Amino acid sequence: MDSKVRERNIARARLKFLESAESPPPLVPENIRDSWQRSKYLGVAISEVVVPYQPDYDRESRLVRAAAPVLDRLEQTLAGSDACVIVTDRNGWVRDRRVGELQLSAHLDRVHLAPGFSYAERFVGTNGIGVALEERRSSVVLGTEHFNERLQRVSCAASPIRNPISGRVAGALNLTSWNGPVSALMAALAREAAGDVERVLYELSTSSERALLEAFRYATHYGDRPVLCLGQDLLLANSAAAVRLTGDDHRLLREAAAELGHAPRTRRRVRLTGGQSVLVRCRQVDSPAGIAGYLLDLVFEDAPEDDAPPRAGHPGGRGRGRERRHGPGATVGGKPCPLPGLVGADPAWNTVSHIAAHCARARVPLLVYGEAGTGKSALARAAHAVTGAATAPVVVDAADPRYGAEVPGAADPSGPGDAPGRGGVSGPGDTAGAGGLAHTLRAAPAGPGRALVLRHLDAVAPADAPAVAEALAIAAATGTWVVATLGRASRIPDTLLRCFTEAVTVPPLRHRLADLPVLVESLLRRTGAGVECAPDVLPLLRRQDWPGNIRQLEAVLRKAATGRRTYRIEARDLPPSLHTAGHRSLSAWEAAERDTLVEALLAADGNKLLAAQRLGISRTTIYRKMQAYGITLPPRP
């Protein structure tokens, strides 16, 4: 068909489509038909180009730097021609443009196809850039195929630019010229130029990213088991993992990998957002620049968690016998295995409880990982109590300043009921650390029925590691159950790691929110005030991240119980920060403003007009601030 005749037919089909509810006829290419329908549904303008403008953007981004040498070469090739080359990011924002003809440059300026403007399909309708990004494949849009009539004087061909490491679309390379019979050449040139940009992107990638890609390719070369590779700003997943994981699952697994990366001999069960458990085996990936990230082998468990005994390599599974014993009150078949004074039925917590109880009975040295406030020391004490021991564990804190070491991050007790005080020694035979950490450990009561807990193992000075390891080995040889706790340490000397046969990771509170009701009930019993929570309190507690874990939850409940107005804790008794749903980090001024707003709203029983009057601001401002901070309030009585 003659090109002029084809253009007229396409133009008539477009007008008929805009005037009726009928689908475009088959003479319109399928990708153009689909784009027209999307554009019409979105209400894109057909006679005016109305696009957002974003003048402030990173002109030194990796994509712009990778595209620059390719554009420089094309600019020389296209000099004097009626063509231009454009690079956009993955959202359609134009980041660079090179034009070979002044008249074409002026036209592109009039239709805002210039750096800082967005040519995403949802703003401009059918165009080469928008269709290529929407469909993730090369596209050609000729003259009258454009949805907006002001673009019909030009033809364009675009090809996605993919990140060679992650495989994701990073942007698009587009060639635009005056309307004419050059579409085949333009499409080939656009694909070739996009490939050149991708090669430069690979050269600009870091050694860590290349190490992760190599590890991922090697792990997925054979078999189809689910594999996930996590870097600081990179996530790689094969199809077996991608189809079963959500964005929230990625976050949970990233946090688990950061913990397991320091315990290469362990596995861990992670409960996903859909309620299913997955067994995670983590391997740290190294590069010349240091730790590149983590490679995760995943085993999705469709059977109940306790149907099979842990295998070697499972958290606490190394060197275990085939039989498992359970402590007092324990049950099997997937039911909770509670430890004295501790509650919860979360699968990950349940596994940790079983392993800790087994290690306590068998006197197997145990290394307990976990964030501050998760209850690591409390777990050790409860597991020791399961054995029927008459004495409490001796707790030594390696972060005590008397030992000349500092723990990374907070040095508070690692959970409710932990040893009181900032550090030092607690338990039978409390002694000072005047002779150093190793001397304190050797001086602790030892023998069958005894337990020695070394908190903050990551605070042990490297120079003291051999002596500390020797002291722990001597204690274990006497029949003492040796336990150590630590958080997210970067490196632990192998001399110390070899002291422990088993390792577990205590899940943070945000990963076991199903246990929140029983945890709240248990923590409130500790207050001795005989109070309970109103029904609208738990939803507020459940949506928090709880960076301080159980310790933070206990502090919130104690404060609310002390300041409550009725016989039970109401939503209004919780601190202002718990009445917001936003997770953005706030400045001190913003946090103070948010708290003032919440307190005023609570004092006014949710009456926004009254709260605004008391604060001296308008009700509109109240609504705007509530939305900005994600403030929600309990329903008015």
Side-chain angles (χ1 to χ4, degrees), residues 183-202:
S183 59
L185 274 175
M186 290 172 58
L189 185 56
R191 284 194 295 268
E192 180 183 355
D196 291 340
V197 176
E198 290 172 356
R199 283 186 282 275
V200 181
L201 274 174
Y202 183 80

Side-chain angles (χ1 to χ4, degrees), residues 227-534:
V227 175
L228 199 66
C229 203
L230 299 169
Q232 182 176 0
D233 298 308
L234 180 65
L235 184 148
L236 304 174
N238 63 353
S239 56
V243 297
R244 303 190 68 169
L245 298 174
T246 67
D248 288 337
D249 293 334
H250 294 157
R251 176 179 59 82
L252 296 176
L253 291 170
R254 184 180 294 276
E255 293 173 353
E259 298 166 356
L260 289 176
H262 311 301
R265 295 179 295 178
T266 71
R267 295 186 185 182
R268 171 178 164 183
R269 281 185 176 89
V270 175
R271 190 169 189 177
L272 303 178
T273 52
Q276 186 184 24
S277 290
V278 61
L279 185 62
V280 180
R281 183 177 64 187
C282 177
R283 177 170 72 83
Q284 182 173 288
V285 179
D286 296 316
S287 74
I291 300 175
Y294 306 99
L295 185 72
L296 276 62
D297 279 313
L298 308 177
V299 178
F300 290 90
E301 300 181 336
D302 298 320
E305 186 176 20
D306 288 345
D307 283 354
R311 301 174 296 276
H314 182 274
R318 202 180 96 166
R320 298 173 66 143
R322 304 181 88 177
E323 296 182 1
R324 294 180 65 191
R325 298 180 182 177
H326 301 272
T331 58
V332 295
K335 296 181 180 179
C337 177
L339 295 174
L342 303 181
V343 296
D346 176 81
W349 170 253
N350 203 20
T351 298
V352 169
S353 301
H354 278 293
I355 295 170
H358 165 80
C359 291
R361 286 190 301 270
R363 323 309 289 170
V364 175
L366 177 65
L367 184 57
V368 184
Y369 292 84
E371 298 176 8
T374 51
K376 300 184 292 292
S377 297
L379 174 73
R381 281 199 306 274
H384 179 59
V386 162
T387 66
T391 59
V394 175
V395 181
V396 180
D397 195 338
D400 192 300
R402 290 173 292 180
Y403 302 131
E406 293 183 359
V407 64
D412 293 330
S414 51
D418 282 346
R422 167 73 173 76
V425 184
S426 69
D430 290 1
T431 61
L437 179 59
H439 173 77
T440 302
L441 294 171
R442 285 194 294 268
R450 298 281 187 175
L452 175 62
V453 179
L454 176 58
R455 298 181 63 239
H456 296 128
L457 184 68
D458 40 348
V460 176
D464 296 337
V468 170
E470 181 182 2
L472 294 175
I474 292 172
T478 64
T480 302
W481 183 40
V482 176
V483 183
T485 72
L486 73 160
R488 297 186 177 187
S490 55
R491 291 284 186 182
I492 300 296
D494 288 341
T495 307
L496 291 174
L497 287 177
R498 283 194 292 268
C499 294
F500 303 96
T501 307
E502 305 282 11
V504 294
T505 301
V506 180
L509 179 56
R510 62 184 174 278
H511 291 175
R512 48 180 302 210
L513 291 180
D515 285 342
L516 199 59
V518 293
L519 284 169
V520 168
E521 182 182 356
S522 175
L523 293 173
L524 285 177
R525 280 201 302 267
R526 294 187 187 183
T527 65
V531 297
E532 60 182 21
C533 285

Side-chain angles (χ1 to χ4, degrees), residues 3 6-14 17-18 24 26-37 39 121 124-128 131 139-157 179 183:
S3 61
R6 180 183 182 280
E7 280 194 35
R8 286 195 295 269
N9 290 338
I10 294 289
R12 282 195 290 268
R14 172 181 168 275
F17 167 72
L18 293 174
L27 67 93
V28 180
E30 182 180 5
N31 65 326
I32 302 299
R33 293 201 306 266
D34 293 342
S35 180
W36 281 2
Q37 289 174 331
S39 303
E121 190 183 69
V124 191
T126 306
N127 72 96
V131 175
S139 70
V140 176
V141 180
L142 304 175
T144 53
E145 293 176 350
H146 286 89
F147 189 78
N148 190 298
E149 60 190 29
R150 294 197 62 191
L151 304 180
Q152 294 181 356
R153 292 183 60 192
V154 297
S155 293
C156 51
N179 199 12
S183 59

Side-chain angles (χ1 to χ4, degrees), residues 36-107:
W36 281 2
Q37 289 174 331
R38 291 192 297 265
S39 303
K40 186 177 181 180
Y41 175 79
L42 292 170
V44 176
I46 60 173
S47 59
E48 293 294 329
V49 178
V50 182
V51 294
Y53 181 54
Q54 188 184 72
D56 298 325
Y57 59 89
D58 185 5
R59 290 169 171 78
E60 295 297 324
S61 69
R62 188 181 297 184
L63 175 64
V64 173
R65 287 187 288 120
V70 179
L71 297 186
D72 291 341
R73 173 173 55 81
L74 288 174
E75 187 175 28
Q76 294 178 358
T77 303
L78 299 174
S81 69
D82 61 345
C84 80
V85 58
I86 295 165
V87 167
T88 75
D89 66 13
R90 63 182 179 182
N91 295 315
W93 293 94
V94 179
R95 294 310 182 216
D96 203 346
R97 187 187 80 176
R98 310 292 176 88
V99 188
E101 184 191 65
L102 291 178
Q103 187 178 359
L104 179 59
S105 177
H107 175 71

Side-chain angles (χ1 to χ4, degrees), residues 546-568:
W546 298 109
N549 294 294
I550 296 176
R551 185 193 311 124
Q552 181 188 5
L553 174 63
E554 182 177 27
V556 166
L557 292 174
R558 284 187 180 276
K559 185 174 181 181
T562 302
R564 71 187 190 281
R565 308 178 190 181
T566 65
Y567 68 96
R568 62 182 184 178

